[in-house]
Structure formats: C-alpha cells, structure tokens
Amino acid sequence: MSKIFWSSMAAALAITGAADAAAVLGAKTIRVTNANGDWLQVGEVQALQDLTGINVALATNGATATGSGNYDTPANPSNAIDGVAPVGYPHIYHADSPGFGEFLEISLAATYNLSSLTIFGRADIFGERDIYNVEIFNASGASIFTGTLDNRALAGGGNTLAFGTAGPGVPEPTTWAMMILGLGGVGAILRRRNAHLPA
C-alpha cells in the first residue's frame, strides 16, 4: 500500500478521537442529599447541557423536582429549579428533618449529556449545613456519577462540578466502513494511475 493511503488513515483516526471520559452522558435524574446527615437546604441546582450550555434543570425547561418532605409549604422542591440564586429561606428547598434519608430529586425532561452541575446553598444563615452528596442516574435508573460539593464557606454561593465535554466521539461502525472503503478506493485509483505512468 502507498504512503498516501496510510497517511490518510492516520489523519482520519486523529480527526475522530475518542470521547472525553469526564463527561456525564445520558443523565436523567439528579439526587442531592446532605453529606453530614444535617438539614438539607438547597437554593438552586443548575445542570448545564454539554455543548449548548442550557440549564436543563430549570422548571421552564421541563425539569421537575421532588423531595423527602418540606420544612413548611413555601420551602418546597420547586424552589431549587426556579432559576433564582443565591437565595435564603423560604425561597429554597428545605427538608422537613435532618438525616441521611432526606433528599432532593430532580427529573430532567429528557436524557442529556452534562458538562457541569452547580448547587447553590442557603444564602442567609446556617451555611455550615451546605455540604452535598450528588448522584446522577440514567434513564434506566443506573448510577452514572457520584460526587460531593462542599458549599459551607460560600454563603449561598454556587459550587460547580465540571464534567468536561463529550467532544465529537468515535464514529459508528458504518461510518468506519464507508471511510475505509473510500480511502481504499482512493488508494486503488492512485495505484492504477501510477501503474500506467512511464518509468
């Protein structure tokens, strides 16, 4: 085979590099708990869609939120997906009791690839409670990411887990087949042309 053919193959492989392993792919549900078993209080959750930067954890983008229980009626789960941050009580989600079983769960409108997740804590008082365990699930309920965000020193500010981007990804097998056939055809044409040239 000619040097041109192998050079073309190497260039094609370089262009279609593998996906970034840091991206969270196929996210459907986000579950937030208090890492210390204290009162769970969340001002806002932002989940940015990979490549678009759209906050898919907003109620206006189809997300819904549920919790283990509300401290009182105004401090309900919908406050964590209303797009307003930083905020204090009662404009936050505030669980009805302390404990590891208390949670905030956000269901996204569809499955998304996420580039980052930001959580805002409580902005007025009790910021020492704002340390969160985060777990992200795919559409079949399998856990695809776990992490911790420590917002205790941020006075209601946001803390972000950056996942990276998925990038162009690896081509499908049919794409590989078409690419190899095309490059093979180019190689055959070059070889045939070189055979007919006088020496």
Side-chain angles (χ1 to χ4, degrees), residues 19-33:
D20 184 348
V24 174
L25 306 176
K28 178 65 176 149
T29 307
I30 302 164
R31 187 177 181 97
V32 181
T33 59

Side-chain angles (χ1 to χ4, degrees), residues 155-167:
N159 199 357
T160 301
L161 290 165
F163 307 126
T165 59

Side-chain angles (χ1 to χ4, degrees), residues 89-190:
Y89 181 83
H91 307 289
I92 61 171
Y93 169 66
H94 195 299
D96 60 353
S97 62
F100 289 105
E102 301 299 307
F103 67 87
L104 169 67
E105 193 164 279
I106 299 168
S107 297
L108 306 177
T111 57
Y112 295 101
N113 297 339
L114 302 179
S115 60
S116 68
L117 179 82
T118 302
I119 297 180
F120 289 83
R122 183 173 177 171
D124 50 1
I125 57 175
F126 301 122
E128 69 276 5
R129 300 174 178 168
D130 295 345
I131 182 168
Y132 308 105
N133 284 333
V134 177
E135 190 164 10
I136 301 175
F137 302 90
N138 64 17
S140 61
S143 177
I144 56 175
F145 176 82
T146 58
T148 302
L149 281 172
D150 188 348
N151 291 33
R152 292 176 291 184
L154 299 178
N159 199 357
T160 301
L161 290 165
F163 307 126
T165 59
V170 177
E172 295 290 326
T174 54
T175 304
W176 276 109
M178 294 291 286
M179 187 169 41
I180 290 169
L181 285 172
L183 291 172
V186 169
I189 291 169
L190 290 173

